[in-house]
Amino acid sequence: MDIETRAAQPYAAVKATVTHETFAKIADRFPEIMHWLADRELPVAGAPFLRYLRVAGEEFEVEAGIPTIAEVPAAGEVYTATLPGGRYAVEVHEGHPDGLSAVADRILADDSLTFDRAGERWGARLETFFTDPAVERDPAKWTTEVAIRLAN
């Protein structure tokens, strides 16, 4: 695990409340966001991510987001916001996405860190997907980063 300092980052997103069984309801919406950005000629500024806004047992409030260069007025279900800058605990995972919760658990188990959270709500808890599943079909070869913002 590394500690990184990151700048604030604008992004375009959609949001949904999901469970493990209904996770595709949010995870499959990246193409919709890409089209929205293309229609507005907003360049993509990084890899797509999931941002966990609220984790309440088996229910998650999650954004599917794509970094961009600026916030713009919302249209429909797609909106823009900004990831907060600050210090993040970061670990890269090589392999199937099923292993991501174990990575997050490992980061969260570090008693020397205080995370940006208030109860079930998280300041910035991210999974960033560096591998395009359309290019690399084998999930065992995917690279994903888990980053969780630390409290100031």
Side-chain angles (χ1 to χ4, degrees), residues 115-132:
F115 297 96
D116 178 11
R117 69 181 288 189
E120 299 172 342
R121 297 224 159 258
W122 293 86
R125 181 174 170 172
L126 310 169
E127 295 172 352
T128 302
F129 304 96
F130 295 116
T131 306
D132 182 347

Side-chain angles (χ1 to χ4, degrees), residues 11-144:
Y11 65 98
V14 295
K15 181 170 39 177
T17 299
V18 297
T19 64
H20 287 290
E21 291 77 28
T22 63
F23 216 85
K25 176 178 164 182
I26 190 69
D28 292 344
R29 295 189 68 190
F30 290 117
E32 175 185 344
I33 303 164
M34 290 294 291
H35 287 112
W36 188 90
L37 289 168
D39 288 349
R40 284 151 188 79
E41 298 180 357
L42 281 171
V44 171
F49 62 87
L50 295 174
R51 178 181 185 185
Y52 293 78
L53 300 170
R54 185 177 56 84
V55 176
E58 294 298 314
E59 185 177 88
F60 311 95
E61 183 180 351
V62 182
E63 290 177 321
I66 298 176
T68 187
I69 60 169
E71 286 193 35
V72 298
E77 290 188 50
V78 179
Y79 56 89
T80 55
T82 299
L83 289 172
R87 293 179 342 123
Y88 285 76
V90 178
E91 188 171 325
V92 175
H93 171 70
E94 303 283 341
H96 197 284
D98 286 349
L100 293 173
S101 63
V103 173
D105 289 345
R106 193 165 43 251
I107 293 170
L108 295 170
D110 188 329
D111 292 335
S112 70
L113 302 175
T114 303
F115 297 96
D116 178 11
R117 69 181 288 189
E120 299 172 342
R121 297 224 159 258
W122 293 86
R125 181 174 170 172
L126 310 169
E127 295 172 352
T128 302
F129 304 96
F130 295 116
T131 306
D132 182 347
V135 175
E136 176 54 67
R137 301 227 182 251
D138 182 358
K141 297 179 180 176
W142 293 357
T143 301
T144 309

